[in-house]
Amino acid sequence: VTALGLWLLAPIAAAGPVADGAAAFDEGRLDEAIAAWEAPADQGWALSGVAHYDIGIAWYRKGDMPRAVARFRGAARLRPRDPYVHHNLALARAGLVSAPEPVGGDAWRRVVTPGELGLLGILLAGLGSLGMVLRRTRAASAAVWATGIGVGGIAVAGAWEAALHPVAVVVDAEAVLRDAASVEGGERFRLPPGAEVRVERSLDEFLLVEDARERRGWVARNAVELAWGGLIGR
Amino acid sequence: VVSAVGWLPVLLAWLCAVASATQVQLRAEPTELQTGQTGTVRLLVVSTDRDAAGVASRRPPSLPTGEGLLANFLGQSQQFQNVNGRVTVIVQFEYRVAAVEPGTWEVGPVDLALADGSRAVAEALRIRVSERDDTAPMAEYRVSASFDRERVWEGQTVVFGTRFESRKPGAQVRWQLPSFDGLRNPQHGLPSDERFTVDDPQGAITVRRMFVPLVAVATGERDQGVAVAEVSLPEGGADLFGFRRSRIEQEVSDRLQLHVEPLPPPPPSFSGLVGEFDVTSRFEVKGKVAVGQSVPWSIVVSGDGVTEGLEMPQFEAEGASIYDNGSDVSARMDGERFRSTAAFRRVVVPTREGTLELPPFEISWFSPKAKKYVTKKITLPKLTVVPGREGDGSVVSFGGDAPAEASDPVAIDLRPVYPSGRATAPSLRPVLLPLLGLAAAPGGLVLVGIGLGQVAARRRETREARRGPPTAADALRRLPTDAQGRLAAFDLALRRLEQPLLAVEDPTARDALLARHDELRATLGRVRFGDASVGPDRVAALEADLRKLVADVRGAK
């Protein structure tokens, strides 16, 4: 428990970058603010929802709506109940010239993060276990235990799903989606900047992505911005 | 008569896609009859509006038919289906249609007055009646498999169909489909599988039809191989295990060939569609609209080719903003035909008063019937835009001493940055599963223990039930070591021996054995309760006598 506590609390030590970035942002130095907020990511840390959110605002201020959308989606994954995140995400989407329907996600992830759901599952499974070991109302304990396992299973599946299939946003220019992971692959269709797609897998410098209309194609990695790295890597 | 209504969900999904409140449709099963045969025609009223689903009249709608058909109303049913959280009411009128004269006869159209006062028309369908051929009696069964056409264009939809019919009740068929070389399944539109019965003077005919929609993706001569039907025909009664005996026969179709023509060079506006299509455009508001008012606009493309991947051109018009509001693509097998629909929803928001003229747009597709690309120009109506309701122009701020953001006109509504907080977030993903396992393990072990205990108890019960009541031999199997305990066990064995003794059929042997039993019992009583001391020799002698008696009783039985 102590080790877990220390591990959870350790990132608080890295709170400085948020304040540093906010100071630079207030002074209008947007590039410096983005660099400060992204500094932990360069050291191998996963950015928090707050950092994603702040970076999204900086990109929005710079007028780069696709990158702002990517960052706000990253923030929405980690802060699903934060109304500011959803508000700004909607504004950034509205600022796009044209973008197709964004890819969605599981409904429960709009309410809780996989980590929160997982902790609830662990708590329930632990309570059920305790009840069964102490032989107190065994049927009720078994029900709590099974619920905990189910909730935990959903959380683990959700966490892996998000890690394996992050969301990416087309940035800078229209992206060409091809038949194969090569610049010589035949063109299937194009997506405008700001289009949100789901990453299926990666191969070399290409990502296999799927849009909301279930069309698939390989896109160059540098043509999109990942909302979060997951197992694909930044 | 019809075994299932499996096409209903498909129909409902279709209705949802085209976003229509009430749909009326006629369906015939089958569409081909011989004189003297009787099929079924259904009139379906499918509605998302409960008030509109009923018909105004209490009498069933009359079903007009051609002279060669005779229709009789059979019954009416109503059901509710939940499709994507929306309740749909389905009212179904069923008619029996008897074929009287050869020819192709129309059934319908049916003009229906709905309960809400509106009217809906079900389009007519055709039933082909052929002359009855009694000279060649129908075999036990008939199977056929083919494509609906032999020459298609690249990207065109082709339907592979199988048909099985038999007069033998309980006859079944299983199809092994061909390889479908150079063809792919469309993303939308599942194969259909219909079963129905045709009443015939010589006995009911069970028909099973399956239609598989496919898209030609490779050109040239495509040899599809053959389709194999494995027909199971019931024969005789049930076998030893109660299963019905059946005879299996295999039928092979003719070799299936398909010629796929490459498309000619397309025009710049080619949409990628191949087939016969119809394009409709509709504004939800007619006449005058206000500045800032949202005007829903839908464009529906429907036809017999696939519509997946179809995109509408981006619209830009002076004096209005146009927003994408989603799209739906759906497809289904409508009898033997493939039907596909793509519905695009947009919202037009006028930004200034005056006359709003949206530019016309064109959509091109390849028409296999015309063997060329056809282009349809959609002209959009003019909208008169009137001024919207005006506010007083004052701005009220609830932000207090807001930071510099409030002064930025671009980011006026953007929520501010978080000045503090954690910059990094630990991911629980790697530890979720181990922690869950750790928390669940004690409970899991207890559950496994309970389960194993129950299994063991059940096995013990089964074993005891199989073994029957305890016997004298059981009592002698595990004897205690002390003398008194052994004597008590002997007593138990003697008592258990009474029942088997009485069951000995030979009276002489039974009397002799009973005498030995009584003598042994008396001796045991004396040894247990009379003598002061019990020696091991005495006990051993008693045990030997008792074992011999037990063996003799078993032998006598």
Side-chain angles (χ1 to χ4, degrees):
Chain A
V1 171
T2 309
L4 182 67
L6 286 173
W7 177 70
L8 286 170
L9 293 173
I12 290 180
V18 173
D20 295 346
F25 180 85
D26 286 343
E27 291 166 17
R29 292 179 282 120
L30 298 179
D31 289 330
E32 283 178 37
I34 292 171
W37 283 321
E38 286 201 329
D42 298 336
Q43 295 162 18
W45 288 93
L47 288 182
S48 69
V50 168
H52 275 293
Y53 169 83
D54 286 352
I55 296 169
I57 293 176
W59 282 118
Y60 187 98
R61 286 295 190 83
K62 280 168 70 76
D64 191 337
M65 297 305 162
R67 281 193 169 78
V69 168
R71 289 315 179 148
F72 288 137
R73 281 218 61 163
R77 182 177 73 99
L78 297 168
R79 300 175 68 85
R81 297 179 299 280
D82 187 340
Y84 281 19
V85 172
H86 295 287
H87 176 88
N88 287 0
L89 174 59
L91 272 186
R93 280 176 176 159
L96 296 166
V97 176
S98 75
E101 195 180 342
V103 283
D106 299 326
W108 64 266
R109 278 197 274 179
R110 290 173 211 155
V111 184
V112 288
T113 65
E116 291 165 346
L117 197 66
L119 288 176
L120 179 68
I122 289 164
L123 187 71
L124 288 174
L127 277 175
S129 280
L130 196 67
M132 279 196 281
V133 170
L134 297 177
R135 292 168 178 262
R136 299 239 169 107
T137 55
R138 193 163 262 169
S141 299
V144 173
W145 182 82
T147 308
I149 294 288
V151 169
I154 293 169
V156 172
W160 276 102
E161 159 72 17
L164 283 171
H165 305 294
V167 167
V169 182
V170 175
V171 293
D172 298 329
E174 201 174 51
V176 180
L177 276 86
R178 300 182 182 280
D179 282 334
S182 161
V183 287
E184 290 167 3
E187 181 180 328
R188 281 194 173 181
F189 58 99
R190 288 169 181 249
L191 286 173
E196 296 165 51
V197 292
R198 178 178 185 266
V199 178
E200 291 298 315
R201 60 176 186 272
S202 67
L203 182 65
D204 300 332
E205 286 307 303
F206 279 82
L207 300 172
L208 177 64
V209 299
E210 184 180 281
D211 72 356
R213 292 170 63 186
E214 296 178 0
R215 298 178 303 170
R216 286 181 167 205
W218 290 92
V219 66
R221 194 183 273 253
N222 59 10
V224 294
E225 171 97 359
L226 288 168
W228 62 90
L231 295 179
I232 301 291
R234 294 176 66 81
Chain B
V1 172
V2 176
S3 60
V5 284
W7 39 265
L8 264 181
V10 180
L11 182 65
L12 294 181
W14 169 263
L15 292 177
C16 290
V18 299
S20 182
T22 305
Q23 292 281 319
V24 187
Q25 192 182 22
L26 278 170
R27 288 188 72 96
E29 284 163 342
T31 52
E32 290 181 5
L33 291 168
Q34 287 185 359
T35 48
Q37 291 183 338
T38 306
T40 306
V41 171
R42 286 184 170 73
L43 173 64
L44 293 162
V45 184
V46 185
S47 178
T48 50
D49 181 357
R50 189 174 293 200
D51 295 331
V55 291
S57 168
R58 290 191 175 185
R59 295 170 60 187
S62 63
L63 183 69
T65 59
E67 290 171 6
L69 297 171
L70 213 59
N72 284 311
F73 178 67
L74 200 65
Q76 176 183 348
S77 64
Q78 182 171 344
Q79 56 176 296
F80 297 87
Q81 294 236 346
N82 193 327
V83 181
N84 298 331
R86 208 159 55 153
V87 175
T88 306
V89 189
I90 305 145
V91 181
Q92 179 176 287
F93 300 93
E94 194 171 317
Y95 302 82
R96 303 292 286 148
V97 176
V100 181
E101 278 182 38
T104 301
W105 308 106
E106 274 203 348
V107 177
V110 179
D111 186 359
L112 212 58
L114 301 175
D116 66 349
S118 62
R119 299 194 80 83
V121 178
E123 283 181 28
L125 52 86
R126 287 180 176 186
I127 293 181
R128 197 163 70 83
V129 180
S130 55
E131 192 72 68
R132 185 169 193 79
D133 185 11
D134 286 330
T135 53
M138 184 183 159
E140 271 187 309
Y141 64 88
R142 273 202 296 245
V143 288
S144 62
S146 62
F147 287 101
D148 63 343
R149 63 198 83 191
E150 288 177 353
R151 297 183 78 84
V152 293
W153 293 86
E154 182 186 359
Q156 191 181 352
T157 307
V158 58
V159 176
F160 176 74
T162 65
R163 185 184 175 97
F164 166 74
E165 53 188 80
S166 173
R167 279 215 168 89
K168 201 148 193 171
Q172 302 278 345
V173 67
R174 200 167 60 185
W175 284 97
Q176 195 179 321
L177 299 180
S179 56
F180 295 142
D181 171 44
L183 302 170
R184 71 162 175 86
N185 296 107
Q187 281 180 17
H188 303 273
L190 293 172
S192 66
D193 190 357
E194 301 172 355
R195 295 160 202 244
F196 52 84
T197 306
V198 177
D199 289 340
D200 186 86
Q202 291 178 5
I205 302 169
T206 307
V207 183
R208 184 176 177 190
R209 299 193 306 174
M210 189 171 68
F211 296 102
V212 184
L214 298 155
V215 183
V217 288
T219 56
E221 285 294 339
R222 317 304 302 188
D223 183 0
Q224 305 296 330
V226 294
V228 181
E230 192 180 282
V231 181
S232 165
L233 299 157
E235 274 197 341
D239 65 8
L240 195 63
F241 303 103
F243 293 109
R244 197 162 183 188
R245 288 195 185 91
S246 59
R247 172 165 52 94
I248 306 290
E249 292 203 3
Q250 280 202 337
E251 294 282 339
V252 179
S253 74
D254 294 337
R255 203 147 193 94
L256 299 159
Q257 297 281 351
L258 207 59
H259 179 79
V260 184
E261 293 273 358
L263 292 179
S269 60
F270 179 46
S271 60
L273 302 181
V274 180
E276 309 304 328
F277 290 94
D278 186 29
V279 185
T280 55
S281 161
R282 192 163 67 119
F283 281 94
E284 298 295 330
V285 177
K286 286 177 185 169
K288 290 178 182 176
V289 295
V291 172
Q293 182 183 347
S294 295
V295 182
W297 173 28
S298 61
I299 306 158
V300 178
V301 180
S302 58
D304 61 3
V306 290
T307 49
E308 58 210 30
L310 174 65
E311 283 185 351
M312 282 289 119
Q314 290 298 328
F315 279 90
E316 279 179 17
E318 253 184 72
S321 300
I322 301 170
Y323 302 97
D324 230 332
N325 193 23
S327 60
D328 285 310
V329 176
S330 65
R332 61 170 178 146
M333 286 303 305
D334 183 9
E336 302 168 19
R337 293 185 310 156
F338 178 80
R339 300 289 301 163
S340 177
T341 295
F344 299 88
R345 292 184 298 277
R346 295 198 165 163
V347 176
V348 179
V349 181
T351 52
R352 66 174 183 222
E353 58 187 289
T355 303
L356 176 61
E357 283 187 52
L358 293 167
F361 70 94
E362 289 183 345
I363 179 165
S364 299
W365 62 86
F366 183 80
S367 164
K369 203 179 271 181
K371 296 182 181 172
K372 63 178 184 181
Y373 291 96
V374 293
T375 302
K376 179 156 184 178
K377 186 174 181 180
I378 307 290
T379 313
L380 303 170
K382 287 179 187 173
L383 293 172
T384 305
V385 184
V386 296
R389 200 176 64 176
E390 292 175 3
D392 58 7
S394 63
V395 175
V396 181
S397 172
F398 300 96
D401 297 329
E405 287 200 32
S407 62
D408 185 346
V410 178
I412 193 149
D413 277 326
L414 202 64
R415 297 290 183 261
V417 295
Y418 286 119
S420 62
R422 286 165 32 161
T424 62
S427 172
L428 285 176
R429 179 165 35 87
V431 295
L432 265 186
L433 204 55
L435 280 178
L436 188 66
L438 208 64
L445 287 174
V446 171
L447 275 181
V448 169
I450 292 170
L452 287 176
Q454 287 202 344
V455 169
R458 195 161 296 170
R459 287 187 63 181
R460 199 163 48 238
E461 280 171 14
T462 312
R463 205 164 48 231
E464 283 173 2
R466 201 178 299 148
R467 201 167 56 195
T471 60
D474 291 337
L476 294 175
R477 195 163 289 139
R478 276 193 296 272
L479 289 170
T481 50
D482 66 303
Q484 284 301 328
R486 284 178 100 84
L487 292 173
F490 294 164
D491 186 46
L492 179 68
L494 278 170
R495 273 190 276 120
R496 285 183 183 173
L497 206 55
E498 285 169 6
Q499 199 66 29
L501 256 174
L502 292 172
V504 173
E505 288 180 359
D506 182 3
T508 318
R510 185 175 61 220
D511 291 345
L513 289 167
L514 271 171
R516 282 172 63 193
H517 174 268
D518 292 343
E519 188 185 338
L520 207 52
R521 186 135 203 201
T523 309
L524 181 62
R526 280 198 300 278
V527 170
R528 286 186 78 187
F529 306 112
D531 291 356
S533 65
V534 180
D537 295 344
R538 195 90 185 259
V539 175
L542 264 173
E543 185 182 339
D545 288 347
L546 186 54
R547 285 189 188 279
K548 191 164 185 317
L549 180 63
V550 169
D552 290 346
V553 170
R554 194 182 295 156
K557 276 182 80 180

